[in-house]
Structures are given as structure tokens and as C-alpha cells.
Amino acid sequence: MISIIYFILATAMFFLQDTYFKVGGVDFSLKNPCAFAILFLALLNFTATVRLNRVVLLARHTAVQVLPYLIPFLFSSVIWVASGADAVTIANGIGMIIPQLLSVCVAVATLYLFGEKGIWYCLGSMCAANFLLVLVVIAEGGLGPFLMEFRTLLLSFAVESGPLMTKLEINDLTFAFGPFILYLLLNRKEVSHSFLWMLVVALLFVLGLKRIAIPAILLGFLVAFILRLLPEKASRQTELCLAVGMMLVSFLYIAGIRLGLFEYLETALQIDTKGRLGMFTNLEPYYDINFTFMGRGI
């Protein structure tokens, strides 16, 4: 019974993740009530089972996972107080942090409820939610146009995508299947029904295909494969170097955007950035690559 209730709540949570409503100028996501319901379900189960060994293990990991969200929140709090930010700005900023913390808590609740099997309950809910989204898109545009656009998407390798495919492409859930593809590729011998899982996950991943996603998967698999061949100590040291390198590259990427990378790609190289130029232009007032720039909060 618990697994059925969880599956329904998690499917609704993933399906409604991009559905928002406003209250007093602040955006709220419809997925949050589903997330809180999952936490309540785990709490009820905890009162009945009290598996303290699992709680201690999960508490340690939770503390590590929430740090990337709590640290920016603390810095932002200082900025909001120092700059005298208005209530709506603060509420919107906090509203960016709460879903992230909720996501960590839902993951913890899932692992408490089901242990290692939790990953498959989570993935099953993601697949169900994405299939529901596909059905909604088909209902809006028709099966024939949907299949034609999907064919065009594959043949053009995502260079061309119609309005129906775009609705799936902009769905964040699509990209969450990428890490699962890597996991299934690297652990296919240990996973029951790995071929079936891979078939479903790959289909949903391709339905929202972005060109950058394919080399990302291939590179991720190659790096993980090489790391597994190294001795444990060398593997840890290499992972640390890679992590630092990725952070540096990410920072340079953000700096490049601020200095006009996308304008150069669109004007000089005639590369279609798929709306990224407009998106980052809207973000320009909120960040700067400058030691004296305090920031504006989250």
C-alpha cells in the first residue's frame, strides 16, 4: 500500500513540477504539496518502524546535500538585509531554495521508505510522469504531427524541432533521465531488467533530445569507465581534480556569457542558441564578474 501511495504522489510531483500559481506576486509550484505529502508518508512510516540505523546514515548524507542550497541562502540573507530588499524579492528568493531542499528531503524519504529499491520507485514515477506529459502533448497536437516532428527531430539530430517536440524539450524532467542512463550503462549486470529500464529511459530521454546531451552522456560514461580501472586512491584523487576542473570551467562559462559569448556565437558564427541569448540578457542585471559586486540575493 505504501509503495502505491508513494508512486501516485511522486508521479504527480514530477508531472506538476513546471506548473505554478501566484499568491501575492510570489510563484508557488503545484509539485510542493505532493512533496510534503511524501515527507508525511515517510514520517508516518518512521513512527511505525523507527529504523534508527537507516536514519543515522541518511542524516549524514542529508547534511552534505543541503549545504549547496543553505550557503547561498545565508549569503543572500545578508544581502537582503544590507540592501533593504522588499518582501516579494525575499519571498521569491526563498521560494527558489525551498524546492531544492524539498527535493533533498523527498530523496531521503524515498530511501527511508524503500532502501536501495527507492531508486527504482523514483525512476518509475519519473517515467510515468513523462509518459503522461507525452500523452498531453499528443492530445493537443495529434498523433500524426507528433510522430512527424519526432522523426524530424531524430533525422536532424535536434537541429529542427517543431512546437510539440519543444514542449518536451523544455521539460526539465527530460534531462534527469541522463544520470539514470549512465547508471544503467555502468551497472547493467547488477540491475534486474536493465534492458527494459534502458529502453524506456532512453526513449524518454530522446523525446526531449538536445544535441549537447549525447556527447555529455558519452563523456560521462568514458570518464566513469576510466575511473573504475584506476586503483582506489588514484581514482579518488582523479575525481577531486576533475571536480575542481569542472567548477573552474563552469565559472569561465558563466564569465564568458557575461562578456558576450552568446552574442558572438549568434552574430559571428551564426549558431542558433535556442533563446539562451535572450534568457541570459534578462539575467544580466542580477550578476556580474566583479569582486566589488555584492549581489542581489538568490
Side-chain angles (χ1 to χ4, degrees):
M1 178 60 73
I2 290 177
S3 59
I4 295 173
I5 296 172
Y6 172 87
F7 185 80
I8 293 171
L9 290 172
T11 299
M13 178 183 69
F14 288 124
F15 181 74
L16 297 171
Q17 66 168 353
D18 294 322
T19 308
Y20 295 88
F21 62 97
K22 280 187 179 290
V23 176
V26 180
D27 289 322
F28 292 93
S29 174
L30 283 174
K31 76 172 184 180
N32 292 343
C34 302
F36 280 116
I38 291 173
L39 298 186
F40 183 67
L41 180 67
L43 181 61
L44 286 179
N45 186 262
F46 171 72
T47 59
T49 59
V50 194
R51 290 173 283 209
L52 290 178
N53 58 334
R54 191 173 287 184
V55 170
V56 172
L57 176 66
L58 291 174
R60 232 177 29 239
H61 286 284
T62 304
V64 174
Q65 294 291 335
V66 299
L67 276 178
Y69 309 113
L70 290 181
I71 291 174
F73 173 69
L74 292 175
F75 276 98
S76 296
S77 299
V78 174
I79 292 169
W80 289 331
V81 172
S83 63
D86 59 87
V88 172
T89 299
I90 296 173
N92 276 321
I94 295 173
M96 300 261 310
I97 287 291
I98 289 176
Q100 311 300 331
L101 297 177
L102 264 180
S103 296
V104 174
C105 292
V106 167
V108 171
T110 303
L111 291 173
Y112 181 81
L113 288 169
F114 308 112
E116 291 182 359
K117 292 181 179 178
I119 184 175
W120 307 115
Y121 283 104
C122 175
L123 180 56
S125 303
M126 287 170 55
C127 291
N130 219 59
F131 272 121
L132 284 175
L133 180 63
V134 170
L135 292 176
V136 169
V137 172
I138 291 175
E140 290 177 358
L143 180 60
F146 178 86
L147 292 176
M148 287 295 293
E149 286 189 19
F150 184 46
R151 178 175 177 273
T152 302
L153 180 80
L154 293 178
L155 293 177
S156 68
F157 193 55
V159 173
E160 299 178 29
S161 59
L164 299 180
M165 288 297 105
T166 300
K167 290 182 179 180
L168 297 176
E169 179 187 321
I170 62 175
N171 174 35
D172 290 341
L173 187 56
T174 300
F175 308 107
F177 290 115
F180 281 102
I181 289 177
L182 281 175
Y183 182 84
L184 289 166
L185 284 172
L186 293 165
N187 301 280
R188 58 190 179 279
K189 293 180 180 179
E190 294 83 18
V191 175
S192 301
H193 312 295
S194 60
F195 177 77
L196 180 60
W197 277 118
M198 178 61 77
L199 191 65
V200 174
V201 171
L203 172 63
L204 294 173
F205 186 70
V206 170
L207 279 171
L209 180 66
K210 279 185 177 291
R211 284 165 290 176
I212 192 65
I214 301 302
I217 290 289
L218 295 175
L219 180 61
F221 177 77
L222 178 63
V223 170
F225 181 76
I226 293 173
L227 287 173
R228 287 188 169 194
L229 297 177
L230 297 174
E232 185 178 352
K233 184 177 180 181
S235 178
R236 286 202 307 268
Q237 291 172 343
T238 306
E239 288 169 5
L240 179 60
C241 292
L242 284 171
V244 173
M246 289 167 67
M247 292 174 66
L248 179 61
V249 170
S250 297
F251 173 76
L252 293 175
Y253 176 70
I254 294 171
I257 290 170
R258 192 69 175 87
L259 296 172
L261 172 64
F262 283 126
E263 288 93 331
Y264 174 77
L265 292 176
E266 287 207 339
T267 56
L269 302 182
Q270 300 297 307
I271 295 177
D272 183 6
T273 62
K274 300 285 187 179
R276 291 181 181 86
L277 177 59
M279 179 177 70
F280 285 112
T281 299
N282 290 332
L283 287 173
E284 281 185 3
Y286 299 99
Y287 78 107
D288 200 0
I289 312 299
N290 189 329
F291 283 108
T292 62
F293 183 68
M294 270 190 63
R296 298 185 185 276
I298 299 163

